[in-house]
Amino acid sequence: MKIGILLTSHPDAATEPYPHQTVHDRVTGEVMEAEEDGFDSVWIAEHHFSNTYGILPDPFAYLAYLAAKTSRIKLCAGVMVVPLHHPMRIVENAAFIDILSKGRFQLGLGSGYRPYEFDGLGVDYEERRAIQQEAIPLILDGFHKKRMMHQGKYFTIKIPEDREIFPQPIQRPHPPIYLGAGTDGSIIQAARNGFGLMQSSLPSAEVLGQHIDLYRRHMHEAPALLAQNPAFGQTDVVRMVYVAETDAKAREDSEEGIVRHMRSFLVGTGKYLGDVTEKSGADDFTYDKVVRNTILHGSPETVIRQIEDLAKVGVTSIMIHYPPYYGMQKTLKMLRFFAKEVLPHVSNIGAKVSTPIHQENRKIA
């Protein structure tokens, strides 16, 4: 089981007042702590136009900065909102960050779920899945073919034989690519395109297991070329985390902040809740309910057991996440405690993997 950290650059208005410029120093400090503490990866989220979730518009720019400040930890875009970008720019920048980080880059893709971000950039939110449907094959062709001619509804690309996509990544055939997917259609799309599967922080462990089973049932449909993706067959999930000496202490430290954060998904996210999770209202986000099957909160022993439960439903890696409301010092203390008391015990936790299908596709390739 690999453990990374998802960072959304979500400001805490109480300690990072408007215009929230200090949030980026704080997040960089958390990245450096993650590198020192032995976490596997950091995932940088893309968000626009609202200080109620995240205010980092370009993961690629930030990851280029982090590539120069780190040496070991994997640097990941999670996720690039595909309908808001030209697919060839995603290909070029992913390859560039892979070079700058000396092969430590991972790419997450997704269709987005916050309508106001699309409104601000003049992109039709209702068209987002159709745009992504056209863009994904182009991204894959960009990595595999290096040249293409395409005239579609949303994109026109002319890279003829006397031209070529540069730069080209260190990792071959490309960096690991994951697709953020929560609906049946997007989960099947992830499997058929050879992507790793990325799941959000909101579904219960039971729902995650259903999603992973659906993904693995369709993995054999991926063409041999796409099955070469280093992330193919991997299932990564976001989980809200707080670890303390006891379950009671974890609740005392985190209950108000985590409930406030999770209930924030009730507004400004379109139909996201109904699409990707069984949760639909404020009553589904009480601490007692989410601690049973959705968040990883408690003593080290409790959190380790919760991670083992995720492994049983097929999760292979976890992006731990947390709101900014605990304050920087408490957050750093929690990360160090997690690294000391939890990380050494989870590296050998095995997940239910789909080795036969995965290896079969690689052999064909």
Side-chain angles (χ1 to χ4, degrees):
M1 180 72 74
K2 302 291 187 182
I3 307 291
I5 301 178
L6 171 66
L7 298 160
T8 58
S9 300
H10 183 165
D12 176 15
T15 59
E16 297 158 343
Y18 180 87
H20 313 299
Q21 292 167 343
T22 56
V23 67
H24 304 296
D25 281 342
R26 189 253 300 168
V27 171
T28 299
E30 292 169 17
V31 171
M32 303 311 295
E33 184 69 37
E35 163 116 331
E36 183 176 344
D37 290 345
F39 286 92
D40 177 70
S41 57
V42 287
W43 292 81
I44 306 302
E46 173 188 357
H47 286 293
H48 308 269
F49 310 126
S50 174
N51 63 357
T52 62
Y53 193 62
I55 55 170
L56 192 138
D58 190 347
F60 287 134
Y62 188 42
L63 291 168
Y65 171 74
L66 294 178
K69 293 183 71 68
T70 60
S71 61
R72 179 200 59 80
I73 199 164
K74 294 172 186 171
L75 303 175
C76 316
V79 298
M80 300 305 302
V81 183
V82 173
L84 303 182
H85 298 273
H86 192 285
M88 291 305 98
R89 296 293 288 146
I90 291 177
V91 172
E92 291 176 328
N93 284 320
F96 193 34
I97 302 301
D98 198 47
I99 293 169
L100 294 178
S101 66
K102 297 180 173 59
R104 291 184 285 133
F105 178 68
Q106 297 188 126
L107 174 63
L109 304 174
S111 61
Y113 62 94
R114 294 181 176 263
Y116 58 82
E117 298 183 331
F118 288 74
D119 292 342
L121 293 172
V123 178
D124 188 342
Y125 179 75
E126 298 303 324
E127 296 269 314
R128 70 193 186 285
R129 291 197 173 104
I131 297 171
Q132 178 167 281
Q133 191 75 19
E134 182 176 333
I136 279 178
L138 300 174
I139 292 170
L140 293 170
D141 282 350
F143 282 119
H144 287 285
K145 297 181 178 179
K146 315 300 181 189
R147 301 171 179 85
M148 70 183 73
M149 303 293 285
H150 174 80
Q151 179 66 58
K153 180 177 180 180
Y154 302 105
F155 303 105
T156 297
I157 300 172
K158 298 178 181 179
I159 309 174
E161 287 300 314
D162 61 340
R163 299 287 185 266
E164 188 172 357
I165 296 173
F166 289 104
Q168 295 179 12
I170 291 175
Q171 298 179 86
R172 293 296 183 181
H174 51 68
I177 306 177
Y178 293 79
L179 185 69
T183 63
D184 286 359
S186 60
I187 291 167
I188 293 171
Q189 181 186 39
R192 288 174 173 169
N193 284 284
F195 294 131
L197 179 65
M198 185 180 293
Q199 296 278 280
S200 85
S201 63
L202 298 178
S204 67
E206 179 182 1
V207 171
L208 289 177
Q210 295 168 2
H211 289 177
I212 292 168
D213 285 345
L214 177 63
Y215 168 72
R216 290 189 168 142
R217 289 202 303 272
H218 288 271
M219 282 180 61
H220 70 278
E221 299 171 23
L225 181 68
L226 301 186
Q228 296 178 57
N229 179 3
F232 187 43
Q234 299 300 303
T235 51
D236 203 354
V237 60
V238 180
R239 293 284 92 167
M240 305 302 297
V241 168
Y242 196 93
V243 62
E245 291 81 0
T246 65
D247 291 353
K249 178 62 173 173
R251 180 169 190 159
E252 178 187 343
D253 285 353
S254 70
E255 180 173 8
E256 188 280 330
I258 192 60
V259 170
R260 182 183 4 152
H261 179 78
M262 297 196 78
R263 284 180 174 172
S264 72
F265 285 89
L266 293 168
V267 296
T269 58
K271 300 176 182 178
Y272 184 65
L273 286 182
D275 282 348
V276 307
T277 177
E278 77 288 354
K279 299 175 180 65
S280 59
D283 289 345
D284 294 319
F285 291 106
T286 66
Y287 189 89
D288 286 328
K289 286 186 178 180
V290 295
V291 80
R292 284 200 297 269
N293 63 11
T294 304
I295 64 177
L296 308 180
H297 277 223
S299 68
E301 295 77 16
T302 295
V303 170
I304 290 167
R305 187 183 69 250
Q306 292 166 336
I307 292 173
E308 290 173 341
D309 289 342
L310 290 175
K312 291 174 183 176
V313 302
V315 173
T316 63
S317 56
I318 298 171
M319 293 177 277
I320 68 171
H321 191 33
Y322 42 83
Y325 311 123
Y326 308 141
M328 185 171 183
Q329 292 310 310
K330 185 183 287 187
T331 296
L332 293 180
K333 179 182 176 182
M334 188 272 292
L335 291 177
R336 291 170 189 144
F337 193 59
F338 187 103
K340 178 182 177 182
E341 301 294 337
V342 179
L343 274 186
H345 301 283
V346 302
S347 59
N348 293 324
I349 292 177
K352 180 181 64 178
V353 297
S354 53
T355 302
I357 293 175
H358 195 186
Q359 287 184 346
E360 179 183 347
N361 277 326
R362 285 191 179 279
K363 287 177 182 177
I364 294 172

